């Protein structure tokens, strides 16, 4: 039986500099329109059937933009959008999208918040997460490794539906060669988070946590460290709560789509049995995000 592959993490945008302040001038490959047709040829070459489109802007138009793309590109199986979770009109905002079956969740760029504690301790924000969970919508958790301790209790409080940790919590693998002890806090906190059975994890986004600014492609040491990250996540979350994600087009800063897929392919083939590979590549995404294939 062929393995159904779903990429759980891609971004699409019409590039306008003011909308993407994090895309600097030294990232020319990202400073242009990025659409579903641009990644589709590489997906086809890698045997990837479909994708989940994930928000890249914190603005009210982002969810509509992604849903419109999903309506015109059947291989977009789900959308993780953005909305103001602290809004007093959140219920009405969500109701407006009720008929969009491909809307499967939401995300906020927690990693960029100057005062993360103020956000996740805000009663209005927590009410917003609870509202999503009542509607069976996933919330994607995006934080850096040093922020993981701050979100463990937050995630524990929201256990009525699935939460998904993006990019394995973004460990700074670029530092691991010179400072191997730096991986220990990330490992410990990831293990703590994984004890929450409603939290799953995307094996994504790690090529840009390597030292991509000083090399054309991930080196052997980088790939080894990425595989070690995957191993830690497998031991912590188990094979039923891991999903593949490319983080395209951001990954192109460090590696092309086929390179990112190849790292995951080699790792999965050497660590997982056939049924576990089926789950990792597609089955877990269908179950966790409630996708219709």
């Amino acid at each position: 039986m062929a393995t159904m592959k779903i990429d759980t993490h891609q971004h699409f945008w019409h590039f306008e500099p003011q909308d993407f302040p994090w895309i600097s001038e030294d990232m020319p490959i990202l400073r242009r329109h990025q659409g579903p047709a641009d990644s589709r040829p590489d997906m086809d070459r890698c045997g990837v059937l479909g994708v989940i489109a994930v928000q890249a802007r914190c603005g009210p138009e982002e969810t509509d933009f992604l849903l419109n793309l999903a309506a015109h590109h059947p291989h977009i199986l789900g959308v993780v959008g953005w909305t103001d979770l602290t809004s007093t009109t959140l219920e009405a905002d969500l109701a407006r999208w009720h008929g969009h079956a491909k809307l499967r969740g939401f995300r906020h760029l927690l990693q960029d918040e100057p005062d993360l504690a103020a956000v996740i301790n805000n009663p209005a924000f927590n009410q917003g997460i609870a509202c999503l969970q009542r509607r069976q919508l996933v919330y994607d958790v995006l934080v850096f490794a040093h922020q993981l301790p701050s979100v463990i209790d937050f995630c524990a409080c929201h256990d009525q539906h699935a939460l998904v940790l993006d990019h394995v919590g973004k460990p700074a693998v670029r530092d691991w060669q010179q400072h191997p002890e730096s991986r220990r806090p990330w490992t410990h906190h990831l293990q703590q988070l994984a004890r929450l059975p409603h939290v799953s994890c995307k094996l994504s986004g790690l090529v840009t946590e390597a030292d991509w600014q000083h090399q054309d492609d991930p080196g052997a040491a980088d790939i080894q460290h990425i595989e070690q990250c995957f191993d830690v996540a497998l031991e912590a979350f188990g094979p039923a709560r891991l999903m593949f994600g490319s983080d395209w087009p951001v990954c192109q800063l460090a590696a092309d789509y086929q390179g990112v897929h190849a790292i995951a392919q080699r790792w999965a083939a050497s660590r997982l049995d056939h049924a576990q590979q089926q789950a990792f590549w597609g089955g877990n995404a269908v179950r966790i995000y409630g996708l219709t294939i």
Side-chain angles (χ1 to χ4, degrees):
M1 182 183 298
T3 299
M4 175 184 64
K5 291 184 177 180
I6 297 172
D7 183 342
T8 63
H9 207 97
Q10 283 192 29
H11 304 293
F12 307 117
W13 57 66
H14 292 307
F15 182 74
E16 297 292 344
Q18 67 273 13
D19 293 337
F20 299 93
W22 58 274
I23 301 179
S24 60
E25 292 188 0
D26 63 350
M27 302 177 181
I29 198 168
L30 303 185
R31 295 177 71 84
R32 57 192 181 207
H33 297 339
Q34 308 279 356
D38 296 314
S39 59
R40 187 63 190 269
D42 281 332
M43 290 174 59
D44 290 343
R45 281 188 280 270
C46 295
V48 178
L49 169 73
V51 63
I52 295 177
V54 179
Q55 66 87 217
R57 297 176 296 171
C58 295
E61 71 283 355
E62 180 74 339
T63 301
D64 290 325
F65 168 71
L66 295 176
L67 287 173
N68 182 61
L69 289 179
H72 291 89
H73 297 274
H75 75 283
I76 299 180
L77 305 176
V79 165
V80 173
W82 187 91
T83 192
D84 182 359
L85 294 173
T86 67
S87 173
T88 57
T89 63
L90 179 60
E91 291 278 5
D93 296 338
L94 295 177
R96 179 169 67 85
W97 292 309
H98 180 69
H100 293 274
K102 289 188 176 181
L103 181 60
R104 304 315 309 147
F106 286 89
R107 186 177 82 155
H108 181 70
L109 303 182
L110 289 177
Q111 68 172 23
D112 294 340
E113 288 291 343
D115 190 345
L116 176 61
V119 176
I120 61 176
N121 293 323
N122 182 349
F125 187 77
N126 282 272
Q127 290 167 12
I129 299 294
C131 180
L132 297 184
Q133 297 204 319
R134 287 195 299 271
R135 292 176 175 267
Q136 301 294 285
L137 292 166
V138 174
Y139 181 72
D140 271 32
V141 180
L142 176 67
V143 291
F144 289 110
H146 71 270
Q147 297 169 314
L148 275 173
S150 300
V151 298
I152 293 171
D153 287 344
F154 166 78
C155 290
C157 289
H158 296 289
D159 61 355
Q160 297 306 297
H161 194 56
L163 302 174
V164 174
L165 178 67
D166 289 347
H167 309 329
V168 206
K170 303 192 77 168
V173 296
R174 67 184 67 85
D175 298 331
W176 286 15
Q177 188 72 16
Q178 297 298 322
H179 305 284
E181 72 283 356
S182 66
R183 74 185 69 185
R184 293 174 189 157
W186 166 78
T187 299
H188 174 68
H189 296 131
L190 192 79
Q191 291 169 340
Q192 285 187 301
L193 188 62
R195 294 191 186 107
L196 304 173
H198 61 288
V199 179
S200 298
C201 180
K202 292 181 186 179
L203 301 191
S204 59
L206 290 184
V207 291
T208 47
E209 297 304 318
D211 191 17
W212 60 270
Q213 293 172 308
H214 297 99
Q215 54 193 5
D216 293 331
D217 294 296
D222 293 319
I223 292 174
Q224 180 183 36
H225 293 151
I226 290 170
E227 290 178 344
Q228 289 170 352
C229 288
F230 289 179
D231 288 342
V232 171
L234 176 61
E235 182 177 1
F237 288 92
R241 289 189 287 150
L242 297 181
M243 296 173 281
F244 166 71
S246 69
D247 197 27
W248 185 94
V250 180
C251 69
Q252 294 179 110
L253 294 170
D256 61 20
Y257 191 95
Q258 294 182 71
V260 171
H261 173 269
I263 293 172
Q265 181 80 43
R266 286 192 298 268
W267 175 84
S270 64
R271 305 302 200 274
L272 307 176
D273 64 29
H274 179 70
Q276 292 169 343
Q277 289 184 57
Q278 296 272 42
F280 167 68
W281 285 112
N284 292 342
V286 170
R287 172 176 50 83
I288 292 165
Y289 281 100
L291 304 177
T292 300
I293 305 300

